[in-house]
Amino acid sequence: MIDTLRATSTIVTALARGAREVRVVLDYDPGAEKGWLRIGERHGIKLEGADYDNSPVAVSRLDLSGVGILLRTTNFSRAFAIAKDTTVYAGSYLNISRCIDLASSLRPCLIYPCRRMGRVALEDVLAALIIRSGEIPPEDDLLELVKMAESARNLISLGKLEDVEFSCRINRFDILPISGPGDSSFRAK
């Protein structure tokens, strides 16, 4: 699954920063989340009750060694809830070479670019095409293309250009988050 702006970029970054797991949720359960860091947004805005916005930049600045994270997002949480009975990997530009290697070794391999508000998310389709082709464009060219997408324009209008730029970095991390069938958490592989 790919949701580069920002869910899968946040998952990849959190696990690279030492988080023990990132559990994707549809809602927070206040009685069951003691000791968990809550990251969440709705339409790009930090959720009330969340510790942090769904920002890979903010996550990149944290020491998450051994921390469990609850992640709730506008689009990825719903898409993941539908797919969680299968093995799901979290792909982004930050770990694109790992995604390319996986896609070339798994047959069949379904690449699912998440949608934004029920519509195609250009940046996620672009990532899927890169994964399938194995051809990685220069980072500057990628950023310019992604900045034209509706999702990026929305984030930029909310003052989150730094998240867009960070999410377009190529191969920043050498991990591949995986969630097994029936599991709601991603762990580093």
Side-chain angles (χ1 to χ4, degrees), residues 3 11 35 40 50 70 83 95 99 107 112 126 128 135 158 160 164 168 170-172 185 187 189:
D3 185 349
I11 291 168
L70 299 173
N95 67 340
C99 298
R107 294 289 184 246
Y112 180 79
L126 179 58
E135 298 291 324
L158 295 171
K160 299 175 190 290
V164 173
C168 288
I170 301 292
N171 292 324
R172 171 104 182 205
S185 292
R187 292 171 182 81
K189 177 180 179 184

Side-chain angles (χ1 to χ4, degrees), residues 1 19 22 44 65 74 94 97 104 114 116 121 132 138 142 144 146 150 166-167 169 180:
M1 291 184 80
V22 177
S65 301
T74 305
L94 298 170
S97 286
S104 66
C114 284
R116 179 179 188 271
R132 271 293 177 217
L142 175 68
E144 289 309 309
V146 169
E150 183 181 349
F166 184 92
S167 296
R169 292 181 180 166

Side-chain angles (χ1 to χ4, degrees), residues 82-181:
I82 294 167
K84 76 175 187 175
D85 289 333
T86 64
T87 299
V88 177
Y89 297 88
S92 70
Y93 299 119
L94 298 170
N95 67 340
I96 197 97
S97 286
R98 291 294 304 269
C99 298
I100 291 168
D101 292 344
L102 176 70
S104 66
S105 69
L106 280 182
R107 294 289 184 246
C109 178
L110 174 64
I111 300 172
Y112 180 79
C114 284
R115 300 175 69 81
R116 179 179 188 271
M117 310 302 286
R119 295 188 308 257
V120 170
L122 177 66
E123 68 280 359
D124 298 336
V125 171
L126 179 58
L129 291 170
I130 292 168
I131 291 167
R132 271 293 177 217
S133 72
E135 298 291 324
I136 301 172
E139 204 168 274
D140 290 342
D141 292 346
L142 175 68
L143 178 59
E144 289 309 309
L145 285 170
V146 169
K147 283 168 70 175
M148 289 188 269
E150 183 181 349
S151 302
R153 290 193 321 263
N154 178 60
L155 288 170
I156 292 166
S157 76
L158 295 171
K160 299 175 190 290
L161 172 61
E162 193 176 12
D163 276 340
V164 173
E165 293 170 338
F166 184 92
S167 296
C168 288
R169 292 181 180 166
I170 301 292
N171 292 324
R172 171 104 182 205
F173 304 113
D174 188 31
I175 66 166
L176 188 60
I178 182 172
S179 177

Side-chain angles (χ1 to χ4, degrees), residues 3 8 14 16 29 35-36 41 46 49 54 69 87 101 138 144 166:
D3 185 349
T8 54
D29 179 3
W36 289 77
E41 59 78 25
K46 179 183 163 202
N54 177 26
I69 294 174
T87 299
D101 292 344
E144 289 309 309
F166 184 92

Side-chain angles (χ1 to χ4, degrees), residues 19-96:
R20 77 173 179 272
E21 66 183 281
V22 177
R23 182 174 298 159
V24 180
V25 297
L26 292 170
D27 209 353
Y28 297 130
D29 179 3
E33 31 185 71
K34 292 186 177 20
W36 289 77
L37 186 68
R38 291 172 305 208
I39 295 175
E41 59 78 25
R42 179 96 175 122
H43 304 294
I45 307 294
K46 179 183 163 202
L47 285 171
E48 185 176 328
D51 300 302
Y52 292 94
D53 180 12
N54 177 26
S55 167
V57 170
V59 167
S60 75
R61 296 176 178 145
L62 300 173
D63 177 5
L64 296 172
S65 301
V67 173
I69 294 174
L70 299 173
L71 177 67
R72 180 175 182 258
T73 73
T74 305
N75 300 298
F76 187 79
S77 291
R78 288 187 309 228
F80 180 73
I82 294 167
K84 76 175 187 175
D85 289 333
T86 64
T87 299
V88 177
Y89 297 88
S92 70
Y93 299 119
L94 298 170
N95 67 340
I96 197 97

